[in-house]
Amino acid sequence: MPVARKPAGRHHHGTLRRALLDAVAEILREAGPDALSLRAAARRAGVSHSAAAPHFGDLAGLLTAFAAEGSERLAASMRRCMAEDPAHPLLAAGRGYVGFAAAHPQHFRLMFGTAVLRHDDPALSAARTASFAPLIETMRALHPGADDAALRDRLGLAWAAVHGFAALRAEGAGAKLWPEPDALAAAEGMLRLLVAACGETPPAVSRSAPPTPAPPAPRSRPRRA
């Protein structure tokens, strides 16, 4: 699919950087990762390739910045949900993770996909650390006496389950298992089981009892002549 060009215009340094990052999200959404290039992003932002190059250098630099921004947004989503439900931080962090993946699928796929990224980039490394910190902090608070191996096992269980759910949803592979259109509604039951397994008591859920089925009507016997 060809990448549409936006009207050319003058950008200040900060606004051009923002425009290029937004262009990556738009191209991923409309045409997929195969259509990504620094030239395509520049065209979408309405500038020349030479104007875009000083900001990121090449495509790897642009995608690294895009992935770093995604990790920052993921951390913010988890922190926001944890602040809204401080009594259940692990459950809230899981909701924040799933909610981010559903709201920003382009970031989510590229952050954990096979794109060429500069993994030693300081900004990307810092953003990744920040995005994992809520889970580590919460698990350590739940299990203050756990050694490193036990803590790692619990972290692995929590991350693998929540990330696996989000990834399956993002790729459309879990449609039969989770037909609900809302990702958070689909994940809620699994998240509650997960946090219980990790040592956090989830909040009670009021479930209305299913209606008692009415007894079958008695069969009418045919009258004898």
Side-chain angles (χ1 to χ4, degrees):
M1 179 183 293
V3 177
R5 181 188 183 107
K6 286 189 175 179
R10 297 183 63 183
H11 294 271
H12 295 292
H13 182 87
T15 59
L16 177 53
R17 177 182 174 85
R18 178 71 265 154
L20 291 168
L21 291 172
D22 289 344
V24 172
E26 293 172 5
I27 293 170
L28 285 172
R29 181 173 59 251
E30 296 172 9
D34 291 341
L36 273 176
S37 68
L38 186 60
R39 194 175 299 278
R43 185 183 305 114
R44 172 59 64 97
V47 298
S48 66
H49 175 269
S50 59
H55 292 270
F56 302 104
D58 55 15
L59 179 62
L62 175 59
L63 297 185
T64 297
F66 187 79
E69 180 180 72
S71 291
E72 292 168 356
R73 292 184 178 184
L74 172 58
S77 177
M78 295 171 73
R79 295 284 187 194
R80 181 172 59 254
C81 289
M82 291 166 69
E84 293 171 354
D85 189 3
H88 308 96
L90 188 59
L91 178 61
R95 289 169 174 164
Y97 199 106
V98 171
F100 164 81
H104 304 283
Q106 291 77 35
H107 276 97
F108 183 76
R109 290 193 185 97
L110 190 134
M111 286 162 57
F112 300 103
T114 58
V116 178
L117 302 177
R118 294 175 181 163
H119 297 284
D120 58 348
D121 179 77
L124 178 59
S125 298
R128 284 174 168 171
T129 299
S131 69
F132 201 58
L135 180 58
I136 296 177
E137 294 166 8
T138 302
M139 203 67 76
R140 280 181 175 159
L142 285 172
H143 304 282
D147 58 26
D148 289 344
L151 186 65
R152 181 191 64 186
D153 291 343
R154 288 173 171 82
L155 289 170
L157 172 64
W159 191 21
V162 177
H163 181 82
F165 170 86
L168 287 170
R169 289 281 299 194
E171 298 301 330
K176 290 186 177 180
L177 186 58
W178 298 291
E180 297 91 336
D182 181 77
L184 285 172
E188 185 67 16
M190 184 204 70
L191 289 174
R192 287 171 175 271
L193 287 174
L194 175 63
V195 299
C198 290
E200 179 179 282
T201 304
V205 178
S206 59
R207 298 181 183 272
S208 56
T212 303
R219 291 185 179 181
S220 58
R221 296 182 180 180
R223 295 180 179 178
R224 292 184 180 180

